[in-house]
Amino acid sequence: MRKISNGVPLLVVGSVAFDSIKTPFGKANKTLGGSASYFSLAASYFVRPAVVAVVGEDFRSADEKKFLDRKINIQGLQKAKGKTFSWGGEYSFDLNSRVTKFLHLNVFEKFNPLLSPNHKNADYIFLGNIAPKLQLNVLKQIKNPKLIGLDTIDFWINTQKKALLQVLKLVNVFVINEEEARELTKEHNLLKAAKGIKGIMGIMGKKGLLIIKRGEYGLLMFNRDSSIFHLPGFPLEDVVDPTGAGDSFAGGMFGYLAKTRDLSTNNFKKACAVGSTMASFCVEDFGTKRLESLKAGDIAKRLKAFKNLTDF
Amino acid sequence: MRKISNGVPLLVVGSVAFDSIKTPFGKANKTLGGSASYFSLAASYFVRPAVVAVVGEDFRSADEKKFLDRKINIQGLQKAKGKTFSWGGEYSFDLNSRVTKFLHLNVFEKFNPLLSPNHKNADYIFLGNIAPKLQLNVLKQIKNPKLIGLDTIDFWINTQKKALLQVLKLVNVFVINEEEARELTKEHNLLKAAKGIKGIMGIMGKKGLLIIKRGEYGLLMFNRDSSIFHLPGFPLEDVVDPTGAGDSFAGGMFGYLAKTRDLSTNNFKKACAVGSTMASFCVEDFGTKRLESLKAGDIAKRLKAFKNLTDF
C-alpha cells in the first residue's frame, strides 16, 4: 500500500524553548532549544518529522524558519498567549555538570497537546521530556502506533512517579540516563536497574527496549532478547555545548527507524549508532546550530568513523 | 627457528603483595595481590610469563603454589629479609572509589630488580606499577625487546614525574587511567590529553600506543596511525572486588600479544578485548581467586559475548 503523502511518519511531542546557555567556551542567549526542536532537527535528515509543541507570542519567524528549512512539519506547533518556555543553564569547566539558572514554563504551563487526525495516525511516536500526565494524554489519542519512545528526567521521577510508571507500561522504547535509572529503581548496579525497569515496562517492552545513556561514555541498550549492546560516545576534541545531546540522539535514532521501518535488534543497534552520530554533531556548536546545516556526507562519514572506533 | 625452551616470552616486573580488602559484599584478609600477581595470572592463560618481584619471609607456600599451579615462572621472585609489601583498602558502596587504609612497603622499600640472563632476553616486557626509577633500571638490563609496556599511578606522577617522563620515552605501550592522563597533561579533554602523552612517548610510541582506562566505562586506545579504538567494560551484574582489574587487563593483553606475536593495529584491538575479558573475570571474586582457575572455554565464551556487545 502506498503511503498517503500527508501521512506523518514520525511524531514528536515535547518542548520548544528559548535557551540561554553558558559554557567554558562561550555563551548563547535566547537560542532555539527544547526537546522537540533538537529531536526534529536530528530526525529531519532521515524522514519528515512532525512537531507538536507550544510557543508564545515572542516566538520569532527566524526560529520557525529553522524548522521549515529542514522541511519539518510544524502544523502542530501551537501559538499561545504569553511567552515561550525559557531556560537558562551554566556548565562546569569539564561540561559534566550544569546548574539551572532559571526556568520559566510560561505558555508551557497550560500546554495540552491536542493531535490533529494526521498526527493521531502517526506510525512512530516519540514523547520528549514533558510531564508524564501530558505524555499519557498524547498516547490516548494515538490510533495505530508502530513504535512509541519515551524520555523523562529526574524531576518527573520525583514529582509524578505514579503517572510515569503508568506511561512506562505503554511504550516500547524508554530512554533514560544512568543516574535516573538508578534513582527510579534504587539500584546502583546498572544491569539490575535495567532488569527492574524492563519489569515495569511490561508487555509493551517486549516489542521494544531500554536505552540507558551514560553521557560522554555512551549508552547501553537492553534488548528484548535480554542481550545487551554498548555504544561509546563519539570522542570529540572540542565539545562546545552539551545541551540537546540526548534529544538529538533520540531524534537520529527514531528518524532512522522510521525511515528503515525495520524493528529487528540489528537495526535498533544501527539506529543507536545513527542517534549517537547526531548527538556528536549537536554538541559541536551552541544550541541547534550544528544540526541546522549538516550534509548527508558528514553523517555517513562520522557513522563510518563510529564503526571503526568499535570494530575489532 | 625454534624457540629455546627456557626462553622468556613475557616478563613482568612489579609488586607481589598481601592485600586486605573490604567491599560492600564482604572482605578478604591478607590475600595474594600486587600488580605482578594479577598480571601474570591473567597472562598465564596465553603464554608462560616470568615474574620479577620481591616478597618477605612471611610469603606462604600456598601463595607460591598459586603461581606454580598456573605454570608461572617465579625464578625471579626474590625472597628478602622482612615482611611482604602489604596494602589495605576499602571500597565505597558503588565500588567507584576506594580509600587506602594502610600501605606498608616493607621489603619493597629496598627492592632492586636484577634480571637473570633469561629475563634480559625476554621479548615482551611489562613494567607494572612500581617506582619509575626502578622501571628505568629494568629497561637498562633488557637486551632485545619486541614490545615494552608501562603502567603507573598518580603517586609517581606527583613524586617522580621527571623519572616517569624519562621511562615514558622508552616504552611502546603506556597504560594509564583517565584521571591520571588528565593530571599528567593538565588537560581535561581526553583527546587533547592523549595527544600530549603521545608527544612525550616520542619515537618509541610510534611502534606502540596509548591506552586510557576509564574504569567500568572501558578504555580508549590511541593507535600509531592516530586512529582511536573504544572498548566498553564488560557489563556485570555482580562485581565483588575491583582490585587488580587494571593489572589483569594488561596481563591478558600482553599475554595475547606475546602468544600471537602480531603487532598490527587489528591485533592490538583483539588484545585489548582479551585484556578486558580477563579484567571482567578478575572483579567477579576477591583478590586473584577467579583468575586462578578459569577454563579456556570461559574465556572464549566471554570474548564472544564481548564481540556481540559492541558489534553493529
Side-chain angles (χ1 to χ4, degrees):
Chain A
M1 204 179 80
R2 266 180 72 87
K3 201 135 178 67
I4 304 150
S5 65
N6 63 353
V8 168
L10 174 60
L11 173 72
V12 58
V13 184
S15 59
V16 170
F18 286 140
D19 288 349
S20 294
I21 304 158
K22 200 174 161 189
T23 84
F25 309 106
K27 53 186 179 176
N29 202 29
K30 229 187 153 188
T31 189
L32 179 66
S35 58
S37 305
Y38 285 104
F39 182 99
S40 61
L41 283 167
S44 71
Y45 291 88
F46 307 97
V47 286
R48 193 183 171 203
V51 172
V52 169
V54 63
V55 292
E57 294 155 312
D58 56 348
F59 199 69
R60 303 157 296 195
S61 60
D63 295 311
E64 210 167 282
K65 193 173 174 299
K66 290 178 181 175
F67 291 103
L68 297 174
D69 281 350
R70 292 291 322 146
K71 297 197 167 38
I72 294 164
N73 175 343
I74 52 171
Q75 286 162 8
L77 190 64
Q78 309 166 22
K79 276 215 180 183
K81 218 170 174 172
K83 284 187 167 182
T84 300
F85 174 28
S86 70
W87 172 81
E90 188 172 335
Y91 288 85
S92 62
F93 80 101
D94 62 1
L95 300 172
N96 277 334
S97 64
R98 75 177 181 201
V99 177
T100 290
K101 291 288 179 183
F102 62 84
L103 192 150
H104 306 305
L105 285 176
N106 297 333
V107 294
F108 212 74
E109 212 159 354
K110 291 183 178 168
F111 178 46
N112 185 19
L114 287 177
L115 306 191
S116 71
N118 267 350
H119 292 143
K120 288 177 185 172
N121 284 309
D123 288 338
Y124 289 72
I125 294 104
F126 194 81
L127 304 167
N129 161 38
I130 54 174
K133 283 175 189 167
L134 295 185
Q135 293 174 324
L136 272 174
N137 275 355
V138 173
L139 287 190
K140 279 178 193 155
Q141 302 171 62
I142 294 293
K143 293 270 174 71
N144 189 25
K146 294 260 189 306
L147 195 76
I148 303 169
L150 175 78
D151 192 7
T152 195
I153 52 165
D154 53 355
F155 181 75
W156 305 122
I157 297 174
N158 295 326
T159 60
Q160 289 195 22
K161 192 167 178 177
K162 208 175 143 188
L164 177 64
L165 295 184
Q166 255 183 296
V167 69
L168 204 43
K169 281 196 190 304
L170 306 173
V171 304
N172 311 113
V173 178
F174 183 35
V175 183
I176 188 170
N177 78 35
E178 191 168 13
E179 298 75 32
E180 290 157 3
R182 289 183 172 130
E183 178 136 351
L184 187 58
T185 56
K186 304 289 175 207
E187 178 63 66
H188 180 79
N189 181 283
L190 273 193
L191 298 204
K192 287 178 183 163
K195 270 190 189 170
I197 296 172
K198 291 277 272 184
I200 299 167
M201 289 177 74
I203 197 94
M204 289 293 283
K206 289 212 171 100
K207 269 177 75 184
L209 30 77
L210 167 66
I211 292 168
I212 299 186
K213 295 178 290 181
R214 311 175 98 183
E216 63 167 318
Y217 297 107
L219 62 88
L220 282 169
M221 177 168 82
F222 298 86
N223 303 313
R224 289 161 292 177
D225 57 8
S226 85
S227 71
I228 305 175
F229 173 59
H230 174 276
L231 206 65
F234 191 81
L236 291 171
E237 207 159 312
D238 294 296
V239 175
V240 170
D241 171 19
T243 312
D247 301 311
S248 306
F249 165 79
M253 182 188 186
F254 268 71
Y256 183 81
L257 286 171
K259 181 188 180 186
T260 53
R261 307 179 75 79
D262 168 0
L263 299 183
S264 66
T265 298
N266 257 346
N267 205 50
F268 270 122
K269 288 181 178 186
K270 276 184 202 157
C272 272
V274 171
S276 297
T277 297
M278 300 313 286
S280 78
F281 284 121
C282 171
V283 302
E284 286 182 330
D285 208 336
F286 276 98
T288 57
K289 202 168 173 191
R290 191 82 176 89
L291 292 182
E292 291 162 24
S293 56
L294 289 169
K295 290 178 185 68
D298 298 336
I299 298 170
K301 194 177 161 192
R302 185 158 296 178
L303 203 51
K304 202 178 163 210
F306 227 126
K307 196 153 172 63
N308 287 338
L309 176 70
T310 60
D311 219 23
F312 71 90
Chain B
M1 204 179 79
R2 268 178 71 87
K3 211 152 162 53
I4 305 152
S5 64
N6 62 352
V8 169
L10 174 60
L11 173 72
V12 58
V13 184
S15 60
V16 171
F18 286 141
D19 288 349
S20 294
I21 304 158
K22 201 173 162 191
T23 84
F25 310 105
K27 54 184 177 178
N29 202 29
K30 229 187 152 188
T31 189
L32 180 67
S35 57
S37 305
Y38 285 103
F39 182 99
S40 61
L41 283 166
S44 72
Y45 292 89
F46 308 97
V47 286
R48 194 183 170 204
V51 172
V52 168
V54 64
V55 292
E57 294 154 312
D58 57 346
F59 199 68
R60 302 156 298 195
S61 59
D63 296 311
E64 210 167 282
K65 193 173 174 300
K66 290 178 182 174
F67 292 102
L68 297 174
D69 281 352
R70 293 290 322 146
K71 297 197 170 36
I72 294 164
N73 175 344
I74 52 170
Q75 285 163 7
L77 190 64
Q78 309 165 22
K79 276 214 179 181
K81 218 169 172 175
K83 284 187 167 181
T84 300
F85 174 28
S86 69
W87 172 81
E90 188 171 336
Y91 288 84
S92 63
F93 80 101
D94 62 2
L95 300 173
N96 277 334
S97 64
R98 75 178 180 199
V99 177
T100 290
K101 290 290 179 181
F102 61 85
L103 192 151
H104 305 305
L105 285 175
N106 297 332
V107 294
F108 212 75
E109 210 158 354
K110 291 182 178 169
F111 178 47
N112 185 21
L114 287 176
L115 306 192
S116 71
N118 268 349
H119 293 143
K120 288 179 185 171
N121 284 309
D123 289 338
Y124 289 72
I125 294 105
F126 194 80
L127 303 167
N129 160 38
I130 54 174
K133 284 174 188 168
L134 294 185
Q135 293 174 324
L136 273 173
N137 274 355
V138 173
L139 288 190
K140 278 177 193 157
Q141 301 171 64
I142 293 293
K143 293 271 174 69
N144 188 26
K146 294 259 190 305
L147 194 76
I148 304 170
L150 176 77
D151 192 7
T152 195
I153 53 165
D154 54 354
F155 181 74
W156 305 122
I157 297 174
N158 295 325
T159 61
Q160 289 196 22
K161 191 167 178 178
K162 208 175 143 189
L164 178 64
L165 295 184
Q166 254 182 295
V167 68
L168 203 44
K169 280 196 190 305
L170 306 173
V171 304
N172 311 113
V173 179
F174 183 35
V175 183
I176 189 171
N177 78 35
E178 190 167 13
E179 298 76 30
E180 290 157 3
R182 289 182 172 130
E183 178 135 351
L184 187 59
T185 56
K186 305 290 174 206
E187 179 61 70
H188 181 79
N189 181 285
L190 272 194
L191 298 204
K192 288 178 182 163
K195 270 191 189 168
I197 296 172
K198 291 278 272 184
I200 299 167
M201 288 177 74
I203 197 92
M204 289 292 284
K206 289 212 170 99
K207 269 175 74 184
L209 31 77
L210 167 66
I211 292 168
I212 298 185
K213 296 177 290 181
R214 311 175 98 182
E216 63 167 316
Y217 297 107
L219 62 88
L220 283 168
M221 177 167 83
F222 298 85
N223 303 314
R224 289 162 292 177
D225 57 6
S226 85
S227 71
I228 305 175
F229 173 60
H230 174 277
L231 206 66
F234 190 83
L236 292 170
E237 208 158 312
D238 294 297
V239 175
V240 170
D241 171 19
T243 312
D247 302 311
S248 306
F249 164 77
M253 181 188 186
F254 269 71
Y256 183 80
L257 287 171
K259 182 189 181 187
T260 53
R261 307 177 74 80
D262 168 0
L263 299 183
S264 66
T265 298
N266 257 346
N267 205 51
F268 270 122
K269 289 180 177 185
K270 276 185 202 155
C272 272
V274 171
S276 298
T277 297
M278 299 314 286
S280 78
F281 284 121
C282 171
V283 302
E284 287 183 330
D285 208 335
F286 276 97
T288 56
K289 202 168 174 190
R290 191 82 175 91
L291 292 182
E292 291 162 24
S293 56
L294 290 169
K295 290 179 186 66
D298 298 336
I299 298 170
K301 194 177 161 191
R302 185 157 296 175
L303 203 50
K304 201 180 163 206
F306 228 126
K307 197 155 171 60
N308 287 338
L309 175 71
T310 60
D311 219 24
F312 71 90

